[in-house]
């Protein structure tokens, strides 16, 4: 905690270690902890960032948008109950977005965005990733669900 760090700092200062020597150590420790949190990549991103993130998978299916949506919401049902999955429909042009993420830092943070659009009497699906680690659903598992739901019957 901050208080114990301050106590250690004061103890070292009183033990003959100069304040100039301690500042870089304290700063290095603080920066290391901050970097570890950022590098763990466990925090999702805002909606505008996920929409601009790279496409990690793309598929075209002869199944309708509604069929693909029904299949995906059933496959991803584990995320519906606790606000880790949001579904949004836009009428013109018809687009359905499925956001998978979590409530973090007071708002919904996105880890994956699935965009379902109408395409040649079927559906096209794009999967975008924030490039974060989302422990409840690895990217490979999500893509398996998308493959299964876009497979032609």
């Amino acid at each position: 905690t901050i208080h114990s760090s301050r106590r250690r700092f004061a103890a070292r200062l009183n033990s003959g270690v100069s304040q100039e020597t301690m500042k870089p150590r304290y700063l290095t420790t603080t920066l290391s902890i901050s970097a570890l949190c950022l590098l763990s990549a466990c925090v999702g991103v805002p909606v505008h960032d996920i929409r601009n993130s790279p496409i990690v998978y793309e598929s075209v299916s002869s199944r309708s948008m509604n069929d693909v949506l029904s299949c995906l919401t059933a496959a991803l049902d584990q995320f519906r109950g606790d606000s880790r999955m949001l579904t949004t429909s836009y009428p013109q042009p018809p687009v359905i977005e499925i956001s998978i993420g979590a409530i973090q830092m007071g708002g919904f943070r996105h880890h994956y965005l699935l965009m379902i659009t109408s395409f040649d009497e079927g559906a096209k699906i794009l999967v975008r990733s924030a490039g974060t680690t989302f422990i409840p659903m690895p990217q490979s598992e999500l893509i398996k669900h998308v493959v299964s739901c876009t497979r032609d019957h």
Side-chain angles (χ1 to χ4, degrees):
T1 67
I2 293 173
H3 296 293
S4 62
S5 295
R6 287 182 183 166
R7 278 190 226 115
R8 285 193 305 264
F9 179 77
R12 286 184 183 162
L13 187 60
N14 293 332
S15 68
V17 176
S18 73
Q19 189 172 3
E20 297 306 313
T21 304
M22 286 304 298
K23 282 182 181 177
R25 286 184 189 167
Y26 182 75
L27 181 60
T28 302
T29 302
T30 303
L31 290 175
S32 296
I33 292 170
S34 299
L36 182 62
C37 289
L38 289 174
L39 291 176
S40 68
C42 57
V43 177
V45 299
V47 67
H48 55 82
D49 289 348
I50 194 75
R51 284 190 180 128
N52 293 318
S53 64
I55 296 169
V56 295
Y57 184 78
E58 183 175 342
S59 180
V60 175
S61 175
S62 63
R63 297 177 74 179
S64 72
M65 287 177 61
N66 287 335
D67 286 348
V68 172
L69 176 63
S70 295
C71 180
L72 284 171
T73 53
L76 302 172
D77 188 57
Q78 63 182 338
F79 296 105
R80 279 198 287 194
D82 56 1
S83 301
R84 293 188 292 172
M85 183 171 81
L86 304 174
T87 304
T88 309
S89 301
Y90 300 99
Q92 292 298 326
V95 176
I96 300 169
E97 290 183 344
I98 301 173
S99 299
I100 297 174
I103 303 293
Q104 298 169 333
M105 296 184 280
F108 189 84
R109 307 291 283 191
H110 304 261
H111 290 272
Y112 305 112
L113 178 67
L114 290 76
M115 300 175 78
I116 306 168
T117 58
S118 179
F119 186 80
D120 286 342
E121 297 183 26
K124 180 178 182 178
I125 185 163
L126 303 175
V127 179
R128 296 181 183 273
S129 173
T132 57
T133 300
F134 189 54
I135 294 169
M137 174 70 72
Q139 183 174 309
S140 59
E141 186 178 339
L142 176 63
I143 291 173
K144 284 180 189 176
H145 289 303
V146 173
V147 168
S148 174
C149 289
T150 56
R151 190 174 295 131
D152 297 329
H153 291 289

